[in-house]
Every structure is written in C-alpha cells, then in structure tokens.
Amino acid sequence: MQYIQYHPQIIEEFKMNEAKSLFQSIDGSIITKFEDKESFKEVILLYNHKKKDLVQQQILFGLNSILNEDKYILLCKCYYEMRYTKLKQNEGFYIVILYNSQGKEYLIITNSNQFVKIETIIKRQCLSQHFLNKYHIIEQKRYLPFVQNYQNQELYCVLQIDKKQIITELDKEQFYNSIIIMNYFSEQTKIVKIYEENSMYYLFMKCMKLQSLESLILDDFEFREAPLVSIFYLTLQILQKYQNLGLYHGNINLKSIFINMQGTYLQILILFPKYLSNNNKGIQIDLLNLGQLLYQITFYEKKDKIKQFVDQKLITQQKQLYQNMNTENKQFKFLFRISQLDLLNQLLAQNITIENALKHQWFVTVKQNLKTEFMKDKKQCLNLRTIVESNNELSMTISMDKRIQSKEFAEYEIEDEFPVKCSILNPFQMNPSKQKHDNCVPKSKSFSSFDLTFENKEKFFTNNEKIFANNQSFFIQ
C-alpha cells in the first residue's frame, strides 16, 4: 500500500470527525454467494483510521457493497454525503462520506468520470432521506403502490417496510439480505432506490403493475389450469436458483408471489425473502410453504375465506373421489386433476426434491395438452394461409401476423423431451400482433380466443390457451 500526504486541512477535518471504520470481514457474508456481473474496480483514496492518513487503494464496487481486499461495507446500511472541494490553487476533488451509527468512511475521488460511476452506485444502493419532500405515494386498489417524483414525474413501484418490524439483529440481517437477494435475482426485482423516512423504509423498483396471488384470489379471480401450473412451475424454477446458490427464500406465501400484469408474457416475481445465514433452514421449508400455498388455492371456496390450516382428510377424500372415477368436481373450482393432489401431498410431506417436482406428472400432463392445442392452432393458421394465398388475395383480404408464416413456425417447434421450452402469452395484456393472429383463425366451439383487461379478469385463460414456443424459458417468461 502506498500512503500519500494530502492537504492537511482535509486530514484534520477527518480526524475531528473520527469514528470507527465501517469495513468488516467478508467471511460468512451473503455477498460471497453472488457473482455480480455489473461490479467494477476503481483506484481511489481512502482515509485510514489507524494511520490517520489517506491511502490509495483499489476498491471493488459490487452488489450492494464496496470491497477492500477481504473486507466490505454493506451500502444499504449507510447514509451518504457528497461534495466537491477545491483548495486554493490545487485541483478539485470529490469527497464521499458513508456513515451510520456504527462508524464512518471517507472516499476521495479525483477523477470526474470515476465520480459519476461511483455516485450512481452510492445514490442507488445507500439510504436516502427526505422522501416526503421529493415523492408522493399513489395507492392502488389491487396492486402494489406507486411513488411519483414531484419534479420529473418519474414513477416507481414501491415496497413499504415498517421499521417496527425490524427490531432484533436477526430482523436486520433478514432485511438487508432481502435487498441483496432481490437486487441479484432479476431486473424486475432490483431495488433502484432506498429511502428512509420516520418509521418506514421505501424500496423502489421499476414501474410495474404487480398484483399478489392473495389479492387475485380475494378479488374472485378465475384461475384456469394452464396458468396455475405455469405459476407453480416458475416458482419452482426460481426456488431452484435459490438452491443452486446455497440459499432459501423463507417466505413463500400468497402475499410474496406477484404477477406482473403488464408484461407481454406471464411473469412471476417472488418478493420479501427472509434468509438468515448459519441456521438450520433450507430449501425444504420453501417446498413445504409452496405446498401450503397450493393447498390454499386448490381448496379455495369463498371470497375472504382463504384456509389457514391444512386438512389432510380433505385431500384424501378428494383423491378417493378421483380414484373412484368421480371426476366431476363442483365444490373446488381450482382442483383440476388427481396429479395435482399427488404433487400437493408430496410437497406437504417434504419428500420431494425441486428437481423431481419440476418433472411431476401434473406438469407433464398439462404440457402435453398445451402441445396438442398448439399444434392444432398452428395447423389452422397454416391451412388458412394456404387458402388465402391460393386466392392471391392475402394483402387485400386480411392482415396476418408474421408468426403464422411457415418460416416463423419453424422457430416455435415444441421439443419432445421435458421440459418444453415455451411461453404463455400474458392474459392480462393482449399483444396487438396476437390479436391479429387470433382474428385470422376461424373460431370453433372448442377453440375460442380469450380477451382479458384489468376490469374483466373473470375470463382469465379459457381452456384453449395458446402458446408460442421459444428458446428462452419453460411455460412462462
């Protein structure tokens, strides 16, 4: 390390405001589980608390943290101050101060380009203040609330966390871990700003209309089998990602799983993780909670009456009815087949792995049904194209989507092996090109289109969901 003398006036200022260093050992930190592709290194000046001097060091700016060799600072624990200083004839420089009740750290940046990069990270990942002076909250009946900037009118989706729920050190660890995990998992769950105001934390995400499964159910939402299967399959995929990182979610329930109502494709977000390191919990607790969630949806009967306890006798009774060939189920509208009950039993008994759950017969059966419907849809479109082209009236007769062209269909072939790589169009947001495609397909009694708006969700997925295969994801994107 190279120690350098800087202007004594700055050194004296740092000495007068002396506090403990915020850097702590990275051993055992959740940060070590992630590889942040957006991280970058910069050589800057740090105030050394032991030497009472400035030292030039290479710092890694990464996932909610800055790293100095084997020590790090978790930025979402820190407030910040920034200023530009110019002393007499010397060149100016930037001072960034990170602080909280535990200590304080001084960063000196002499290059303006460096400062712009670091400033962006600090403002996004550290705690900001004066929320109510800059933003107002827009409450929404069914969705997570928005916040809007008074000056530029920017909109964000916001998670509101009551600080009264964060009391113990374990509560604090869970809270900070949740920010780190959500930042890592996807662009949709990334926290873009963090504000603290009085007794609340406000976590900003990109602007989306997000509705929880609990809200959908209590809103008397009509689930169909294919989207319900898709929701559970994608949830398992996300949990598999947790497992591969050596993590667990710890808070799988109807309130933590959200649907992006505006996405072109059906998209699931799992928020509010509650992960703690060095405990006995693992991914099996998530599978158990997923089983309880599946039970609540499967046996939901009346509005505002979500079951809070699992009745194993009810599961056994319904399974026996199916085994006795009495498949006419009028009591539970979200119970579709016996394989659904089998997966439910295995999740609740905690005797199934994520890998085996992803291969379960319920998913295989629905996949085959979707494949059959897709091939019928494809055949109808190709036949229609042949008829129209034979009359040489394609351009005058109908405006057809490019997806019904034979060349395009070659990209949508469904694989024979499991899993199928396909996407289900989001029923909440009808794609204009999809509408053109539906308009070109002759309607039959067994194959009708669906049309769903935010105000008309009761028609969510008729029994003829259309799927378009691609090479990016299984079931939902």
Side-chain angles (χ1 to χ4, degrees):
M1 289 189 300
Q2 178 188 3
Y3 288 94
I4 60 176
Q5 292 295 325
Y6 218 71
H7 198 286
Q9 183 177 332
I10 297 299
I11 302 296
E12 286 302 315
E13 177 189 338
F14 294 166
K15 288 180 180 179
M16 289 177 60
N17 296 282
E18 185 62 78
K20 288 184 178 180
S21 173
L22 291 174
F23 281 101
Q24 55 185 318
S25 173
I26 199 170
D27 292 340
S29 169
I30 189 177
I31 295 293
T32 60
K33 295 181 179 292
F34 304 106
E35 181 180 351
D36 184 13
K37 296 180 180 179
E38 297 180 1
S39 62
F40 61 91
K41 294 179 180 179
E42 296 289 348
V43 176
I44 62 173
L45 296 169
L46 282 180
Y47 177 71
N48 187 288
H49 294 266
K50 291 183 179 180
K51 298 289 185 179
K52 312 296 183 187
D53 207 345
L54 293 173
V55 59
Q56 188 176 36
Q57 286 190 307
Q58 187 178 72
I59 301 297
L60 176 67
F61 293 83
L63 185 66
N64 279 103
S65 62
I66 60 174
L67 286 83
N68 178 15
E69 297 178 349
D70 60 347
K71 295 185 177 181
Y72 80 110
I73 298 174
L74 196 58
L75 294 178
C76 55
K77 287 184 176 182
C78 302
Y79 305 96
Y80 66 91
E81 293 178 7
M82 298 183 188
R83 72 174 188 263
Y84 179 78
T85 299
K86 185 174 174 62
L87 301 173
K88 296 183 179 180
Q89 301 302 318
N90 296 335
E91 292 185 5
F93 54 91
Y94 301 90
I95 299 177
V96 177
I97 305 172
L98 304 177
Y99 66 96
N100 58 30
S101 60
Q102 305 300 313
K104 188 176 291 188
E105 214 66 55
Y106 299 96
L107 287 65
I108 308 295
I109 303 152
T110 57
N111 183 288
S112 59
N113 292 331
Q114 273 187 326
F115 176 73
V116 170
K117 290 176 65 177
I118 294 171
E119 179 188 32
T120 301
I121 292 294
I122 297 298
K123 286 185 175 181
R124 182 168 73 84
Q125 298 186 352
C126 287
L127 289 168
S128 297
Q129 298 175 300
H130 310 299
F131 168 79
L132 295 178
N133 293 337
K134 300 176 182 178
Y135 295 90
H136 69 100
I137 300 174
I138 303 173
E139 295 289 349
Q140 301 188 92
K141 183 178 180 181
R142 299 184 180 98
Y143 316 116
L144 283 180
F146 289 159
V147 291
Q148 187 172 41
N149 188 291
Y150 285 121
Q151 291 185 344
N152 58 23
Q153 306 303 307
E154 281 185 339
L155 279 171
Y156 298 93
C157 190
V158 65
L159 308 179
Q160 301 178 78
I161 311 295
D162 192 340
K163 292 173 68 175
K164 295 177 183 177
Q165 300 174 356
I166 308 172
I167 302 172
T168 67
E169 289 302 314
L170 291 181
D171 293 336
K172 293 177 183 178
E173 181 188 349
Q174 277 189 343
F175 173 65
Y176 297 132
N177 286 346
S178 70
I179 294 174
I180 296 168
I181 290 171
M182 287 191 292
N183 270 336
Y184 178 81
F185 264 75
S186 73
E187 285 297 316
Q188 286 69 37
T189 61
K190 185 171 289 186
I191 307 300
V192 297
K193 292 178 186 290
I194 308 173
Y195 273 88
E196 181 186 26
E197 183 82 21
N198 299 326
S199 63
M200 298 293 293
Y201 288 114
Y202 300 93
L203 310 183
F204 291 20
M205 300 193 303
K206 65 183 292 186
C207 186
M208 298 172 284
K209 277 190 175 290
L210 297 179
Q211 186 166 6
S212 69
L213 291 183
E214 180 187 57
S215 173
L216 286 168
I217 291 174
L218 295 179
D219 203 26
D220 208 19
F221 188 76
E222 290 290 337
F223 283 103
R224 300 292 179 177
E225 186 177 25
L228 184 61
V229 163
S230 300
I231 289 168
F232 278 89
Y233 192 93
L234 184 58
T235 301
L236 283 166
Q237 281 189 318
I238 295 173
L239 292 181
Q240 188 176 45
K241 189 174 180 180
Y242 272 85
Q243 179 180 256
N244 293 340
L245 290 167
L247 303 173
Y248 64 90
H249 185 277
N251 191 32
I252 298 295
N253 55 60
L254 293 171
K255 295 181 179 180
S256 64
I257 299 180
F258 290 80
I259 293 178
N260 180 6
M261 312 296 260
Q262 292 179 310
T264 302
Y265 294 95
L266 190 58
Q267 184 180 69
I268 307 301
L269 281 69
I270 306 181
L271 306 179
F272 309 116
K274 290 187 176 182
Y275 172 81
L276 287 173
S277 57
N278 302 321
N279 63 61
N280 297 325
K281 289 184 179 181
I283 205 68
Q284 284 299 319
I285 191 65
D286 290 330
L287 293 178
L288 173 61
N289 291 338
L290 186 62
Q292 294 168 345
L293 188 154
L294 178 56
Y295 178 91
Q296 290 176 314
I297 295 179
T298 300
F299 295 110
Y300 177 74
E301 296 179 81
K302 298 178 181 179
K303 190 173 182 179
D304 300 327
K305 295 291 182 180
I306 296 176
K307 290 180 169 59
Q308 300 301 315
F309 302 98
V310 173
D311 183 358
Q312 191 63 48
K313 292 181 180 179
L314 179 59
I315 302 174
T316 303
Q317 178 193 57
Q318 292 301 310
K319 194 170 183 179
Q320 288 174 346
L321 289 176
Y322 274 100
Q323 289 171 339
N324 294 333
M325 305 303 291
N326 184 4
T327 57
E328 193 67 32
N329 170 37
K330 296 182 180 179
Q331 184 178 2
F332 304 110
K333 56 185 177 180
F334 302 146
L335 174 55
F336 300 101
R337 62 185 74 242
I338 193 171
S339 57
Q340 179 179 346
L341 294 173
D342 181 73
L343 176 60
L344 174 58
N345 268 330
Q346 291 193 59
L347 289 172
L348 291 174
Q350 300 185 68
N351 62 358
I352 190 171
T353 64
I354 289 181
E355 291 73 21
N356 288 336
L358 288 167
K359 301 175 185 177
H360 192 271
Q361 186 61 44
W362 190 27
F363 300 130
V364 174
T365 301
V366 174
K367 180 264 293 189
Q368 291 296 339
N369 291 345
L370 289 174
K371 179 178 178 180
T372 301
E373 299 238 358
F374 172 82
M375 298 308 293
K376 287 180 180 179
D377 189 17
K378 172 182 172 180
K379 185 176 180 181
Q380 283 179 308
C381 285
L382 288 175
N383 288 340
L384 180 60
R385 177 177 180 270
T386 302
I387 293 170
V388 175
E389 284 187 337
S390 66
N391 291 328
N392 199 24
E393 296 176 350
L394 176 61
S395 60
M396 295 185 294
T397 306
I398 191 168
S399 176
M400 300 182 69
D401 190 276
K402 289 183 180 180
R403 274 178 285 185
I404 69 171
Q405 298 177 16
S406 57
K407 182 179 179 181
E408 293 290 329
F409 266 121
E411 299 178 5
Y412 295 120
E413 291 297 332
I414 294 181
E415 298 178 356
D416 290 333
E417 71 272 12
F418 193 86
V420 174
K421 292 182 178 179
C422 64
S423 298
I424 296 182
L425 288 176
N426 188 354
F428 300 98
Q429 183 75 17
M430 179 64 88
N431 192 324
S433 62
K434 174 70 165 55
Q435 287 179 318
K436 294 179 184 178
H437 169 249
D438 287 345
N439 291 337
C440 84
V441 178
K443 304 298 187 295
S444 68
K445 292 182 180 179
S446 61
F447 198 86
S448 60
S449 174
F450 60 83
D451 184 10
L452 181 66
T453 63
F454 291 116
E455 291 76 25
N456 183 24
K457 294 186 294 184
E458 289 76 11
K459 295 181 180 179
F460 178 53
F461 271 107
T462 61
N463 291 328
N464 48 50
E465 293 86 356
K466 302 181 183 69
I467 57 173
F468 294 92
N470 62 27
N471 293 321
Q472 296 179 5
S473 61
F474 171 77
F475 277 125
I476 33 193
Q477 182 172 307

